[in-house]
């Protein structure tokens, strides 16, 4: 990747969720049985093993779609309700990412341009300045600063017209279909625009980072900082520093329909800072503000107020350009960290590049067409966003497995495969959402897969090599359970596959996950700073 993914470990609290993933899956029991050479799935082989795992009481009353196939031959080795349409959560990113690689290409890059229709009179630009975005979800404040520096280096000191933020590459629908209203201020549910800003090298576009530290003495207001520094949002500190040892109840949340971020509750003297990633209201204005501040810092003054949403005229002349990393690199933070905003930006980008419309409808239609080319019957699934944040998405395990089989022959497969999280690799940029799972098992550093988590929905689909060297494809989609987490059930299936051969099946029973509270409803990477 162009920029490393680095984040200090600072305690954070979500407003309603607290979750600690177990470091490893405990292996409660391993049983061994064999099937005759050449025999197909049977009750004493892979079928019997996975069937046993799926009797876990945490799935009582729930639904499970599971498919396992031989990656080389495509032969189905196991299937349990594989055709049932279930809510895939972030496994929805599998069709989105595959369509992006196929339709945009691994070398695809976003451009963010500064242009003008004006004329120069010495150091004065007579006319308007346009900031035109094409949907880059990886734009940082420093990238806007570099654009501003380039404008200043051209000799411009004053602009008589307006700064016009051109976000018209995408439509004005900011939020996906049926996204939860109570996630409005959450960074994993940020608004989508062709012009946006990410505050970090996880590229959490459309968000700011608020850090609140206790004051020196009880009664003091907490000290807050904002990344990036911007006046686009207002911090309303209503919280209080309390004596050491008292409960920490500090919360940070943006108020509905505004850019006022309220800091409320109590924080004890000496406590660790609370750090929250918060979405902004209307990211186009956010990007324009960050760029305008950068221009001012470089000595470029704009006379008139900023305007939004006007397309750049065709005769505008370029002054500065920022080009993103190629898509094959962007795939890493997108898939490793299950970045929702990347998925949605790519969906609208696909729509624009294939049909001239930067909309969800156009993008999803193109994704469906690509799925059909991959042998997946798109008429038998429902995809309403790119990320899986919507609970209206319905995809079967069989369709996900078929997709994973199909793409193995694509010319860009190696780059896409490298974007999948790797079990028990502690490097966050490699292990991603699987970095603390299946450790000390044959699946560690072996399986690569996409995770998925929402309330009552969990999924894991990917690739694993068994003990005999055979590569397998699997898709596990679990729904409608009441347990706080069923991740260890998924892990037990994958570990069983990793321990087994064609003729010798090693059943690994799932452990009961401890430290689990009713919050196993979000991807672990969506909890900042990540604890999993």
């Amino acid at each position: 990747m162009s920029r490393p993914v680095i984040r200090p470990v600072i305690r954070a609290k979500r407003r309603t969720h607290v979750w600690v993933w177990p470091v490893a899956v405990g292996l409660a029991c391993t049983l061994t049985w064999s099937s005759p050479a050449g025999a197909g799935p049977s009750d004493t082989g892979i079928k019997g093993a996975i069937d046993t795992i799926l009797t876990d009481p945490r799935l009582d009353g729930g639904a499970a779609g599971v498919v396992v196939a031989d990656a080389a031959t495509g032969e189905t080795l196991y299937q349990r309700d594989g055709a049932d349409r279930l809510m895939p959560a972030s496994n929805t990113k599998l069709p989105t990412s595959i369509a992006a690689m196929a339709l945009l290409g691994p070398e695809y890059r976003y451009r963010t341009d500064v242009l003008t229709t004006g004329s120069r009179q010495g150091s004065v630009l007579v006319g308007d300045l346009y900031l035109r975005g094409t949907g880059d979800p990886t734009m940082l404040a420093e990238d806007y600063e570099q654009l501003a520096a380039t404008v200043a280096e051209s000799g411009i000191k004053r602009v008589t017209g307006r700064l016009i933020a051109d976000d018209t590459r995408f439509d004005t629908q900011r939020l996906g279909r049926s996204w939860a209203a109570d996630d409005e201020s959450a960074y994993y549910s940020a608004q989508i625009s062709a012009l946006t800003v990410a505050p970090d090298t996880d590229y959490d576009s459309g968000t700011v980072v608020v850090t609140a530290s206790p004051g020196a003495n009880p009664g003091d207001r907490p000290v807050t900082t904002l990344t990036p520094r911007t006046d686009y949002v207002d911090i309303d500190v209503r919280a209080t520093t309390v004596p050491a040892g008292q409960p920490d109840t500090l919360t940070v949340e943006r108020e509905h329909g505004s850019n006022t971020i309220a800091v409320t509750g109590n924080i004890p003297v000496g406590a660790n800072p609370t750090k929250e990633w918060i979405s902004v209201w209307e990211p186009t204005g956010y990007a324009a503000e960050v760029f305008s501040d950068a221009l001012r810092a470089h000595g470029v003054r704009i006379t008139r107020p900023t305007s939004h949403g006007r397309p750049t005229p065709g005769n505008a002349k370029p002054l500065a350009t920022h080009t993103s990393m190629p898509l094959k690199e962007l795939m890493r933070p997108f898939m490793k960290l299950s970045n929702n905003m990347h998925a949605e930006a790519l969906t609208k980008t696909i729509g624009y590049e294939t049909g001239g419309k930067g909309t969800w409808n156009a993008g999803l239609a193109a994704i469906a067409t690509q799925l059909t080319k991959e042998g997946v019957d798109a008429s038998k699934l429902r995809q309403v966003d790119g990320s899986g944040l919507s609970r209206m998405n319905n995809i079967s395990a069989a369709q996900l497995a078929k997709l994973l089989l199909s793409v193995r022959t694509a010319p860009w497969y190696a780059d896409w495969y490298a974007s999948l999280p790797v079990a028990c690799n502690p490097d966050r940029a490699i292990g991603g959402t699987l970095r603390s799972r299946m450790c000390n098992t044959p699946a560690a550093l072996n399986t690569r897969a996409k995770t998925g988590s929402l309330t009552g929905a969990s999924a894991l689909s990917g690739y694993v090599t068994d003990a005999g060297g055979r590569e397998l494809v699997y898709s596990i989609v679990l729904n409608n359970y009441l347990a706080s987490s069923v991740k260890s059930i998924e892990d037990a299936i994958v570990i069983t596959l990793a321990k087994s051969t064609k003729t010798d099946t090693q059943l690994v029973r799932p452990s009961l996950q401890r430290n689990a509270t009713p919050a196993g409803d979000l991807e672990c990477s969506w909890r900042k700073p990540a604890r999993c």
Side-chain angles (χ1 to χ4, degrees):
M1 288 177 53
S2 298
R3 303 181 177 99
V5 179
I6 301 173
R7 169 141 320 134
V9 177
I10 301 177
R11 178 189 53 79
K13 292 162 60 176
R14 291 233 64 80
R15 54 199 162 97
T16 58
H17 303 304
V18 178
W19 175 251
V20 180
W21 289 93
V23 172
V25 174
L27 305 183
C29 181
T30 300
L31 304 178
T32 303
W33 54 58
S34 299
S35 56
S42 69
D43 289 343
T44 56
I46 287 294
K47 182 180 187 305
I50 298 178
D51 282 347
T52 299
I53 293 169
L54 293 177
T55 63
D56 189 288
R58 283 171 288 177
L59 292 178
D60 287 352
V66 182
V67 172
V68 179
D70 185 307
T73 67
E75 176 191 1
T76 298
L77 305 178
Y78 177 88
Q79 84 94 18
R80 163 83 168 267
D81 296 334
D84 287 3
R85 285 183 292 272
L86 298 172
M87 184 167 51
S90 278
N91 269 211
T92 307
K93 293 181 176 74
L94 290 171
T96 303
S97 62
I98 286 168
M101 290 292 276
L103 298 174
L104 302 177
E107 301 299 329
Y108 183 88
R109 296 174 186 260
Y110 289 97
R111 286 171 55 101
T112 304
D113 299 305
V114 182
L115 310 99
T116 184
T117 54
S119 59
R120 289 284 295 272
Q121 294 181 2
S123 63
V124 178
L125 175 65
V126 181
D128 294 326
L129 197 63
Y130 288 82
L131 175 65
R132 182 175 64 193
T134 60
D136 186 356
T138 67
M139 284 291 290
L140 302 173
E142 65 192 57
D143 297 324
Y144 287 104
E145 194 276 336
Q146 184 56 55
L147 287 173
T150 302
V151 172
E153 288 165 5
S154 73
I156 296 173
K157 298 297 183 184
R158 184 165 68 90
V159 178
T160 64
R162 298 176 184 270
L163 171 62
I164 300 173
D166 177 0
D167 61 357
T168 58
R169 177 66 62 94
F170 292 170
D171 66 358
T172 57
Q173 185 178 347
R174 297 296 189 227
L175 297 174
R177 189 174 174 188
S178 79
W179 287 4
D182 59 356
D183 282 337
E184 180 187 311
S185 79
Y187 81 95
Y188 54 79
S189 185
Q191 297 181 22
I192 307 302
S193 169
L195 271 172
T196 190
V197 185
D200 55 15
T201 51
D202 280 4
Y203 306 109
D204 298 312
S205 55
T207 71
V208 294
V209 182
V210 180
T211 304
S213 303
N217 301 295
D220 290 348
R221 288 172 41 162
V223 178
T224 60
T225 58
L226 192 63
T227 306
R229 292 184 179 180
T230 177
D231 292 331
Y232 191 67
V233 298
D234 296 318
I235 306 297
D236 182 5
V237 182
R238 309 170 196 164
T240 303
T241 303
V242 295
Q246 290 195 14
D248 187 340
T249 61
L250 197 78
T251 61
V252 182
E253 189 172 40
R254 180 170 56 78
E255 295 179 351
H256 170 68
S258 76
N259 274 317
T260 297
I261 299 174
V263 181
T264 59
N266 299 326
I267 186 169
V269 171
N272 291 327
T274 289
K275 193 171 186 178
E276 289 284 3
W277 281 247
I278 302 294
S279 71
V280 302
W281 184 268
E282 186 45 69
T284 298
Y286 175 29
E289 182 86 2
V290 168
F291 180 58
S292 179
D293 288 346
L295 286 171
R296 191 177 305 111
H298 281 278
V300 180
R301 184 165 59 91
I302 299 179
T303 305
R304 301 175 65 192
T306 299
S307 175
H308 302 164
R310 282 171 48 191
T312 304
N315 64 343
K317 296 168 291 188
L319 295 174
T321 295
H322 172 82
T323 304
S324 75
M325 68 184 78
L327 179 60
K328 63 184 179 183
E329 292 183 24
L330 194 156
M331 278 285 152
R332 304 294 185 94
F334 166 31
M335 295 291 278
K336 297 286 189 184
L337 304 179
S338 202
N339 191 304
N340 289 342
M341 287 40 266
H342 294 188
E344 308 307 346
L346 285 169
T347 300
K348 291 195 174 190
T349 301
I350 290 169
Y352 179 83
E353 296 292 356
T354 61
K357 295 181 179 179
T359 65
W360 265 294
N361 286 343
L364 293 169
I367 291 171
T369 298
Q370 183 62 36
L371 291 180
T372 301
K373 292 179 180 178
E374 302 292 350
V376 174
D377 188 348
S379 69
K380 294 184 178 179
L381 60 83
R382 180 171 62 215
Q383 184 177 354
V384 303
D385 65 12
S387 64
L389 194 56
S390 173
R391 301 183 69 85
M392 291 182 67
N393 292 303
N394 280 138
I395 306 175
S396 72
Q399 290 168 316
L400 292 170
K402 182 176 287 188
L403 189 59
L404 294 176
L405 287 167
S406 175
V407 299
R408 293 176 71 253
T409 59
W412 39 261
Y413 172 72
D415 287 323
W416 177 82
Y417 178 79
S419 75
L420 295 173
V422 180
C424 201
N425 189 311
D427 186 334
R428 194 160 167 269
I430 300 173
T433 55
L434 280 180
R435 64 189 175 279
S436 64
R437 291 175 61 178
M438 294 178 261
C439 293
N440 303 312
T441 76
L445 306 180
N446 173 357
T447 188
R448 288 178 180 259
K450 184 69 198 75
T451 55
S453 308
L454 289 172
T455 302
S458 186
L460 187 67
S461 299
Y463 306 88
V464 66
T465 300
D466 73 10
R470 178 178 53 162
E471 186 181 20
L472 304 176
V473 165
Y474 63 86
S475 180
I476 307 162
V477 186
L478 309 177
N479 277 196
N480 303 327
Y481 52 85
L482 300 180
S484 61
S485 176
V486 293
K487 297 299 183 188
S488 67
I489 298 174
E490 298 167 354
D491 292 352
I493 293 172
V494 178
I495 298 165
T496 293
L497 295 175
K499 287 175 68 73
S500 301
T501 66
K502 285 185 178 181
T503 59
D504 182 36
T505 300
Q506 301 281 328
L507 167 64
V508 176
R509 295 182 182 274
S511 68
L512 291 175
Q513 288 175 297
R514 295 171 184 169
N515 300 323
T517 60
D521 56 346
L522 293 176
E523 287 287 69
C524 67
S525 66
W526 299 356
R527 305 182 185 286
K528 299 286 190 173
R531 290 185 167 196
C532 51

